[in-house]
Amino acid sequence: MNEKTVIKRSYQIFALGCIVFIILGIFLKDISYLLGFILGYLLNLVVFALIIKMCDEILSSSTSTIFVIMTFILKLIVYSIGFIIAVKSKWFHILGVFFGYMMTKISIYTEGYINKGGEVNEN
């Protein structure tokens, strides 16, 4: 499993999540859940890109402690920006943002479950 398969799987799970939040929005007559979910997913992709960069830096150099610390702090800042936007704005619901943040984590678990923990060659 690599980052490309995780991102590809997250697109599918994101589409399923959008359908769920559209149905929830219809029942509650509120689109903020869907918009929060989209915001959370977009910020989650940014954080996942930061994780990929951090891992590449760790593998390329052995003295990257300060870079890892700064990347970790940057991840926390990105996550907090999403929650602050959700709290300050009526257009984004904090629950939607939270579930948007969970998309790559859910994608990793589902990809591991589907492949039973084994690698799949995608040529």
Side-chain angles (χ1 to χ4, degrees):
M1 176 182 347
N2 60 19
E3 66 269 6
K4 292 177 184 171
T5 57
V6 170
I7 290 174
K8 188 191 302 184
R9 179 70 60 192
S10 75
Y11 292 152
Q12 297 167 351
I13 295 173
F14 173 70
L16 181 67
C18 280
I19 292 170
V20 169
F21 279 104
I22 286 171
I23 293 171
L24 180 69
I26 289 171
F27 281 128
L28 298 176
K29 295 181 175 78
D30 190 10
I31 195 169
S32 67
Y33 290 96
L34 176 64
L35 294 177
F37 182 67
I38 293 169
L39 175 69
Y41 179 68
L42 293 176
L43 291 176
N44 189 33
L45 289 178
V46 170
V47 169
F48 191 63
L50 285 172
I51 291 171
I52 292 169
K53 291 284 186 192
M54 183 175 62
C55 291
D56 288 341
E57 184 65 28
I58 289 171
L59 292 174
S60 67
S61 68
S62 61
T63 60
S64 60
T65 307
I66 191 71
F67 181 76
V68 171
I69 292 169
M70 294 305 291
T71 308
F72 183 74
I73 291 171
L74 188 60
K75 285 176 13 185
L76 291 176
I77 290 170
V78 170
Y79 280 136
S80 65
I81 287 171
F83 282 132
I84 289 170
I85 290 172
V87 168
K88 298 282 184 185
S89 173
K90 65 175 182 164
W91 291 100
F92 302 103
H93 197 276
I94 196 166
L95 188 65
V97 173
F98 173 76
F99 282 114
Y101 285 163
M102 295 293 123
M103 286 296 97
T104 55
K105 292 155 188 67
I106 293 170
S107 301
I108 291 169
Y109 289 129
T110 56
E111 191 66 29
Y113 179 74
I114 289 171
N115 296 325
K116 306 283 191 266
E119 289 289 325
V120 176
N121 292 331
E122 293 185 11
N123 294 330

